PDB file of all heavy atoms in Angstrom:
ATOM      1  N   LEU A1396      -3.662   3.846   2.592  1.00  0.00           N
ATOM      2  CA  LEU A1396      -4.968   4.196   3.164  1.00  0.00           C
ATOM      3  C   LEU A1396      -5.022   5.677   3.520  1.00  0.00           C
ATOM      4  O   LEU A1396      -6.023   6.354   3.254  1.00  0.00           O
ATOM      5  CB  LEU A1396      -5.234   3.374   4.417  1.00  0.00           C
ATOM      6  CG  LEU A1396      -5.369   1.867   4.251  1.00  0.00           C
ATOM      7  CD1 LEU A1396      -5.683   1.206   5.582  1.00  0.00           C
ATOM      8  CD2 LEU A1396      -6.428   1.558   3.200  1.00  0.00           C
ATOM      9  N   PHE A1397      -3.982   6.171   4.187  1.00  0.00           N
ATOM     10  CA  PHE A1397      -4.002   7.538   4.703  1.00  0.00           C
ATOM     11  C   PHE A1397      -2.601   8.140   4.628  1.00  0.00           C
ATOM     12  O   PHE A1397      -1.594   7.459   4.678  1.00  0.00           O
ATOM     13  CB  PHE A1397      -4.430   7.573   6.184  1.00  0.00           C
ATOM     14  CG  PHE A1397      -5.744   6.904   6.448  1.00  0.00           C
ATOM     15  CD1 PHE A1397      -5.786   5.679   7.069  1.00  0.00           C
ATOM     16  CD2 PHE A1397      -6.932   7.475   6.075  1.00  0.00           C
ATOM     17  CE1 PHE A1397      -6.954   5.028   7.323  1.00  0.00           C
ATOM     18  CE2 PHE A1397      -8.138   6.829   6.304  1.00  0.00           C
ATOM     19  CZ  PHE A1397      -8.151   5.603   6.943  1.00  0.00           C
ATOM     20  N   VAL A1398      -2.606   9.497   4.492  1.00  0.00           N
ATOM     21  CA  VAL A1398      -1.398  10.275   4.659  1.00  0.00           C
ATOM     22  C   VAL A1398      -1.706  11.220   5.799  1.00  0.00           C
ATOM     23  O   VAL A1398      -2.652  12.019   5.704  1.00  0.00           O
ATOM     24  CB  VAL A1398      -1.030  11.046   3.379  1.00  0.00           C
ATOM     25  CG1 VAL A1398       0.140  11.978   3.640  1.00  0.00           C
ATOM     26  CG2 VAL A1398      -0.752  10.080   2.262  1.00  0.00           C
ATOM     27  N   ARG A1399      -0.959  11.101   6.867  1.00  0.00           N
ATOM     28  CA  ARG A1399      -1.165  11.935   8.074  1.00  0.00           C
ATOM     29  C   ARG A1399      -0.074  12.984   8.135  1.00  0.00           C
ATOM     30  O   ARG A1399       1.104  12.654   8.158  1.00  0.00           O
ATOM     31  CB  ARG A1399      -1.138  11.020   9.301  1.00  0.00           C
ATOM     32  CG  ARG A1399      -1.521  11.743  10.560  1.00  0.00           C
ATOM     33  CD  ARG A1399      -1.789  10.707  11.685  1.00  0.00           C
ATOM     34  NE  ARG A1399      -1.747  11.382  12.956  1.00  0.00           N
ATOM     35  CZ  ARG A1399      -0.776  11.285  13.844  1.00  0.00           C
ATOM     36  NH1 ARG A1399       0.240  10.510  13.594  1.00  0.00           N
ATOM     37  NH2 ARG A1399      -0.826  11.975  14.942  1.00  0.00           N
ATOM     38  N   ASP A1400      -0.457  14.257   8.218  1.00  0.00           N
ATOM     39  CA  ASP A1400       0.433  15.379   8.181  1.00  0.00           C
ATOM     40  C   ASP A1400       0.268  16.128   9.514  1.00  0.00           C
ATOM     41  O   ASP A1400      -0.828  16.590   9.826  1.00  0.00           O
ATOM     42  CB  ASP A1400       0.055  16.251   6.997  1.00  0.00           C
ATOM     43  CG  ASP A1400       0.939  17.458   6.814  1.00  0.00           C
ATOM     44  OD1 ASP A1400       1.783  17.759   7.661  1.00  0.00           O
ATOM     45  OD2 ASP A1400       0.751  18.166   5.781  1.00  0.00           O
ATOM     46  N   TYR A1401       1.331  16.228  10.283  1.00  0.00           N
ATOM     47  CA  TYR A1401       1.214  16.884  11.598  1.00  0.00           C
ATOM     48  C   TYR A1401       2.557  17.417  12.070  1.00  0.00           C
ATOM     49  O   TYR A1401       3.608  17.107  11.511  1.00  0.00           O
ATOM     50  CB  TYR A1401       0.664  15.891  12.623  1.00  0.00           C
ATOM     51  CG  TYR A1401       1.538  14.667  12.868  1.00  0.00           C
ATOM     52  CD1 TYR A1401       2.400  14.600  13.905  1.00  0.00           C
ATOM     53  CD2 TYR A1401       1.458  13.606  11.965  1.00  0.00           C
ATOM     54  CE1 TYR A1401       3.196  13.480  14.096  1.00  0.00           C
ATOM     55  CE2 TYR A1401       2.265  12.467  12.151  1.00  0.00           C
ATOM     56  CZ  TYR A1401       3.139  12.437  13.254  1.00  0.00           C
ATOM     57  OH  TYR A1401       3.921  11.350  13.414  1.00  0.00           O
ATOM     58  N   GLU A1402       2.514  18.240  13.074  1.00  0.00           N
ATOM     59  CA  GLU A1402       3.732  18.747  13.732  1.00  0.00           C
ATOM     60  C   GLU A1402       3.936  18.014  15.032  1.00  0.00           C
ATOM     61  O   GLU A1402       3.019  17.820  15.823  1.00  0.00           O
ATOM     62  CB  GLU A1402       3.612  20.249  13.985  1.00  0.00           C
ATOM     63  CG  GLU A1402       3.754  21.063  12.730  1.00  0.00           C
ATOM     64  CD  GLU A1402       3.867  22.550  12.990  1.00  0.00           C
ATOM     65  OE1 GLU A1402       4.040  22.964  14.154  1.00  0.00           O
ATOM     66  OE2 GLU A1402       3.820  23.304  12.009  1.00  0.00           O
ATOM     67  N   ALA A1403       5.174  17.558  15.251  1.00  0.00           N
ATOM     68  CA  ALA A1403       5.509  16.826  16.457  1.00  0.00           C
ATOM     69  C   ALA A1403       6.602  17.572  17.212  1.00  0.00           C
ATOM     70  O   ALA A1403       7.384  18.308  16.617  1.00  0.00           O
ATOM     71  CB  ALA A1403       6.005  15.417  16.093  1.00  0.00           C
ATOM     72  N   HIS A1404       6.655  17.311  18.500  1.00  0.00           N
ATOM     73  CA  HIS A1404       7.730  17.872  19.285  1.00  0.00           C
ATOM     74  C   HIS A1404       8.776  16.807  19.509  1.00  0.00           C
ATOM     75  O   HIS A1404       8.480  15.695  19.931  1.00  0.00           O
ATOM     76  CB  HIS A1404       7.173  18.351  20.674  1.00  0.00           C
ATOM     77  CG  HIS A1404       6.174  19.477  20.533  1.00  0.00           C
ATOM     78  ND1 HIS A1404       6.547  20.760  20.326  1.00  0.00           N
ATOM     79  CD2 HIS A1404       4.833  19.436  20.551  1.00  0.00           C
ATOM     80  CE1 HIS A1404       5.505  21.512  20.258  1.00  0.00           C
ATOM     81  NE2 HIS A1404       4.420  20.732  20.367  1.00  0.00           N
ATOM     82  N   ARG A1405      10.010  17.124  19.168  1.00  0.00           N
ATOM     83  CA  ARG A1405      11.103  16.194  19.305  1.00  0.00           C
ATOM     84  C   ARG A1405      12.163  16.814  20.217  1.00  0.00           C
ATOM     85  O   ARG A1405      12.458  18.002  20.103  1.00  0.00           O
ATOM     86  CB  ARG A1405      11.773  15.872  17.930  1.00  0.00           C
ATOM     87  CG  ARG A1405      10.850  15.158  17.010  1.00  0.00           C
ATOM     88  CD  ARG A1405      10.749  13.704  17.406  1.00  0.00           C
ATOM     89  NE  ARG A1405       9.712  13.093  16.610  1.00  0.00           N
ATOM     90  CZ  ARG A1405       8.923  12.124  17.064  1.00  0.00           C
ATOM     91  NH1 ARG A1405       9.097  11.682  18.257  1.00  0.00           N
ATOM     92  NH2 ARG A1405       8.025  11.597  16.294  1.00  0.00           N
ATOM     93  N   PHE A1406      12.702  16.013  21.108  1.00  0.00           N
ATOM     94  CA  PHE A1406      13.736  16.472  22.013  1.00  0.00           C
ATOM     95  C   PHE A1406      15.060  15.862  21.557  1.00  0.00           C
ATOM     96  O   PHE A1406      15.173  14.662  21.461  1.00  0.00           O
ATOM     97  CB  PHE A1406      13.426  16.078  23.450  1.00  0.00           C
ATOM     98  CG  PHE A1406      14.379  16.673  24.455  1.00  0.00           C
ATOM     99  CD1 PHE A1406      14.328  18.011  24.742  1.00  0.00           C
ATOM    100  CD2 PHE A1406      15.334  15.870  25.059  1.00  0.00           C
ATOM    101  CE1 PHE A1406      15.217  18.550  25.668  1.00  0.00           C
ATOM    102  CE2 PHE A1406      16.215  16.395  26.008  1.00  0.00           C
ATOM    103  CZ  PHE A1406      16.158  17.752  26.307  1.00  0.00           C
ATOM    104  N   ASP A1407      16.022  16.710  21.270  1.00  0.00           N
ATOM    105  CA  ASP A1407      17.298  16.211  20.733  1.00  0.00           C
ATOM    106  C   ASP A1407      18.381  16.074  21.801  1.00  0.00           C
ATOM    107  O   ASP A1407      19.543  15.917  21.483  1.00  0.00           O
ATOM    108  CB  ASP A1407      17.799  17.119  19.591  1.00  0.00           C
ATOM    109  CG  ASP A1407      18.133  18.508  20.042  1.00  0.00           C
ATOM    110  OD1 ASP A1407      18.133  18.807  21.261  1.00  0.00           O
ATOM    111  OD2 ASP A1407      18.449  19.346  19.167  1.00  0.00           O
ATOM    112  N   GLY A1408      18.009  16.130  23.055  1.00  0.00           N
ATOM    113  CA  GLY A1408      18.977  16.059  24.154  1.00  0.00           C
ATOM    114  C   GLY A1408      19.328  17.404  24.755  1.00  0.00           C
ATOM    115  O   GLY A1408      19.762  17.506  25.885  1.00  0.00           O
ATOM    116  N   TYR A1409      19.050  18.452  24.006  1.00  0.00           N
ATOM    117  CA  TYR A1409      19.354  19.822  24.478  1.00  0.00           C
ATOM    118  C   TYR A1409      18.101  20.676  24.527  1.00  0.00           C
ATOM    119  O   TYR A1409      17.895  21.470  25.399  1.00  0.00           O
ATOM    120  CB  TYR A1409      20.400  20.478  23.600  1.00  0.00           C
ATOM    121  CG  TYR A1409      21.712  19.742  23.596  1.00  0.00           C
ATOM    122  CD1 TYR A1409      22.046  18.929  22.522  1.00  0.00           C
ATOM    123  CD2 TYR A1409      22.593  19.839  24.648  1.00  0.00           C
ATOM    124  CE1 TYR A1409      23.261  18.242  22.502  1.00  0.00           C
ATOM    125  CE2 TYR A1409      23.786  19.139  24.658  1.00  0.00           C
ATOM    126  CZ  TYR A1409      24.102  18.324  23.597  1.00  0.00           C
ATOM    127  OH  TYR A1409      25.308  17.645  23.587  1.00  0.00           O
ATOM    128  N   GLN A1410      17.288  20.545  23.483  1.00  0.00           N
ATOM    129  CA  GLN A1410      16.083  21.385  23.424  1.00  0.00           C
ATOM    130  C   GLN A1410      14.964  20.672  22.643  1.00  0.00           C
ATOM    131  O   GLN A1410      15.235  19.731  21.911  1.00  0.00           O
ATOM    132  CB  GLN A1410      16.410  22.738  22.748  1.00  0.00           C
ATOM    133  CG  GLN A1410      16.871  22.606  21.306  1.00  0.00           C
ATOM    134  CD  GLN A1410      17.254  23.951  20.698  1.00  0.00           C
ATOM    135  OE1 GLN A1410      17.328  24.925  21.423  1.00  0.00           O
ATOM    136  NE2 GLN A1410      17.502  23.969  19.402  1.00  0.00           N
ATOM    137  N   SER A1411      13.779  21.180  22.814  1.00  0.00           N
ATOM    138  CA  SER A1411      12.633  20.632  22.124  1.00  0.00           C
ATOM    139  C   SER A1411      12.402  21.417  20.836  1.00  0.00           C
ATOM    140  O   SER A1411      12.496  22.631  20.812  1.00  0.00           O
ATOM    141  CB  SER A1411      11.382  20.746  23.016  1.00  0.00           C
ATOM    142  OG  SER A1411      10.271  20.235  22.340  1.00  0.00           O
TER     143      SER A1411
END
Side-chain angles (χ1 to χ4, degrees):
L1396 297 181
F1397 306 106
V1398 174
R1399 187 167 163 254
D1400 182 352
Y1401 61 98
E1402 286 189 9
H1404 297 281
R1405 296 283 171 213
F1406 187 72
D1407 64 7
Y1409 299 102
Q1410 64 183 9
S1411 180

